[in-house]
Amino acid sequence: MANNAFKAVNTVITSVNEIIYTAPPNITTIVINAQLVNVGDYDMNCTFNYFNSLTGKEIPLIRDFRIRGNQSNSATFGRLVVNENDSLKVRAVDPTNTNFESTVRLSLSLLETEDV
């Protein structure tokens, strides 16, 4: 029998490619939805990566994807499985390099499953 828990992660994205979620040990996570929202008036480029803890490699899921000001887009199409100890990393940058503060927010809907 498996134990399931729904979780949400909501965060402001910075220009640093940083970890925003790591699947805990003995947990497999399904990302149900990953929504990027640009609350500013100017465009931002977003990168969303999967980090494999076993290989140490980062796999780009979207790279320099432009989100228009006051718009939102999904970072995934369908579901995404995150294996135990693997991570999701994200960053957002202004393509014109004139604005240094990110206006992008990320909302993740997750289902964590533990095998017992």
Side-chain angles (χ1 to χ4, degrees):
M1 178 125 197
N3 289 327
N4 295 315
F6 286 98
K7 302 253 174 118
V9 174
N10 296 291
T11 188
V12 175
I13 305 306
T14 68
S15 61
V16 177
N17 187 31
E18 62 186 327
I19 294 172
I20 47 103
Y21 176 78
T22 300
N26 301 315
I27 299 286
T28 300
T29 300
I30 297 172
V31 177
I32 299 167
N33 188 26
Q35 193 73 19
L36 292 161
V37 179
N38 185 353
V39 298
D41 293 327
Y42 50 89
D43 297 354
M44 296 292 287
N45 284 354
C46 296
T47 299
F48 189 68
N49 298 313
Y50 184 99
F51 179 75
N52 184 315
S53 63
L54 292 176
T55 65
K57 293 190 178 181
E58 204 165 297
I59 302 149
L61 301 173
I62 59 173
R63 179 180 287 160
D64 294 328
F65 180 78
R66 183 165 291 192
I67 299 179
R68 303 280 179 208
N70 299 305
Q71 299 288 320
S72 65
N73 288 91
S74 182
T76 59
F77 296 98
R79 307 298 183 250
L80 174 66
V81 174
V82 181
N83 295 314
E84 67 175 310
N85 301 317
D86 289 356
S87 301
L88 297 174
K89 298 173 83 174
V90 67
R91 71 180 174 91
V93 295
D94 174 10
T96 65
N97 293 320
T98 57
N99 300 298
F100 298 103
E101 184 176 331
S102 174
T103 57
V104 178
R105 313 295 188 259
L106 174 69
S107 178
L108 292 176
S109 299
L110 309 168
L111 174 62
E112 293 182 339
T113 303
E114 177 183 23
D115 288 327
V116 290

